[in-house]
Amino acid sequence: GQNIDQPTEMTATEGAIVQINCTYQTSGFNGLFWYQQHAGEAPTFLSYNVLDGLEEKGRFSSFLSRSKGYSYLLLKELQMKDSASYLCAVMDSNYQLIWGAGTKLIIKP
Amino acid sequence: GAVVSQHPSWVICKSGTSVKIECRSLDFQATTMFWYRQFPKQSLMLMATSNEGSKATYEQGVEKDKFLINHASLTLSTLTVTSAHPEDSSFYICSATSGGALETQYFGPGTRLLVL
């Protein structure tokens, strides 16, 4: 079967760095997405990785290793507004999105 | 974990026809379902929120007469794109929650619509 695993919840301190991991097993691979979702709002696109390596975009970076079925989202200089759920999703060979359950990130002062 | 399915996965239709997309929660009762559309590498755009047994709440700019939403049971919501046009071609994603808007949403795999 297809599945995406990511931690249910993580806690970090304002100003620190946090890494949210995502491992996947899917039938085919057409890219991996990271989204941020605040409670009651639509998910916001953060990144898309289809090739191995690190993609940096401001305070957020996303890494992909296709051979390991692994990705992580790295958030630097954490701010209170980064408290949200972070969703990992993989697009399979049929261009369907397989979703992780999301990681709730709690930022403490 | 909670599973949400969508049917069909892909649909290609002629301009002017209507297309129905189903969203089902397979192992939980979804009191609230959300319909989104997504353009490549962009954020999901919320189209509407539907609660079982009541009329859907549409986001500003979404035509409710064009995008008909029916949430007739706790496990099924449908989105009907009426008189589809090429600009309606998109990736439509539903999500479901057993609680309200602030509860964890479980997302479906999406439906690709191509209108010729």
Side-chain angles (χ1 to χ4, degrees):
Chain A
Q2 306 198 98
N3 67 281
I4 309 283
D5 288 315
Q6 52 181 128
T8 304
E9 187 174 296
M10 298 182 72
T11 302
T13 305
E14 190 176 16
I17 299 172
V18 71
Q19 177 175 311
I20 304 174
N21 295 325
C22 172
T23 57
Y24 63 89
Q25 289 179 300
T26 58
S27 54
F29 180 82
N30 278 300
L32 185 146
F33 297 79
W34 282 98
Y35 296 90
Q36 178 192 61
Q37 186 177 29
H38 287 99
E41 298 180 12
T44 303
F45 170 80
L46 291 178
S47 65
Y48 171 71
N49 293 65
V50 68
L51 299 175
D52 289 351
L54 185 68
E55 295 269 348
E56 297 185 76
K57 194 185 293 184
R59 293 189 300 116
F60 294 2
S61 303
S62 57
F63 171 83
L64 174 68
S65 169
R66 288 171 296 171
S67 61
K68 295 181 180 178
Y70 168 69
S71 172
Y72 67 72
L73 180 69
L74 190 72
L75 293 77
K76 302 177 184 176
E77 300 169 21
L78 286 170
Q79 301 174 10
M80 297 304 292
K81 66 179 182 179
D82 298 328
S83 292
S85 284
Y86 290 85
L87 301 162
C88 172
V90 172
M91 188 160 280
D92 68 10
S93 56
N94 292 319
Y95 295 94
Q96 297 278 281
L97 281 173
I98 312 301
W99 294 87
T103 298
K104 184 177 180 180
L105 178 63
I106 300 168
I107 310 295
K108 295 185 175 180
Chain B
V3 178
V4 174
S5 70
Q6 284 183 239
H7 177 80
S9 304
W10 281 86
V11 58
I12 301 173
C13 68
K14 292 182 179 179
S15 186
T17 60
S18 293
V19 175
K20 180 186 282 188
I21 303 170
E22 294 184 349
C23 176
R24 292 182 184 272
S25 58
L26 299 185
D27 50 3
F28 68 101
Q29 293 187 325
T31 53
T32 305
M33 285 185 167
F34 304 87
W35 286 97
Y36 299 90
R37 62 187 296 184
Q38 181 180 20
F39 295 101
K41 299 183 192 179
Q42 293 187 23
S43 298
L44 276 65
M45 186 193 81
L46 181 63
M47 298 175 66
T49 302
S50 73
N51 294 294
E52 186 266 338
S54 61
K55 289 184 179 180
T57 302
Y58 289 81
E59 296 298 302
Q60 193 171 8
V62 178
E63 299 175 58
K64 59 182 178 182
D65 293 331
K66 180 170 182 62
F67 298 99
L68 302 178
I69 292 171
N70 186 303
H71 192 165
S73 78
L74 284 171
T75 59
L76 173 65
S77 175
T78 60
L79 167 68
T80 301
V81 183
T82 61
S83 186
H85 291 286
E87 58 265 30
D88 298 323
S89 298
S90 189
F91 195 36
Y92 292 87
I93 299 169
C94 75
S95 71
T97 174
S98 58
L102 298 182
E103 298 293 324
T104 299
Q105 293 181 32
Y106 299 96
F107 289 85
T111 296
R112 289 198 177 276
L113 171 63
L114 177 61
V115 185
L116 302 176

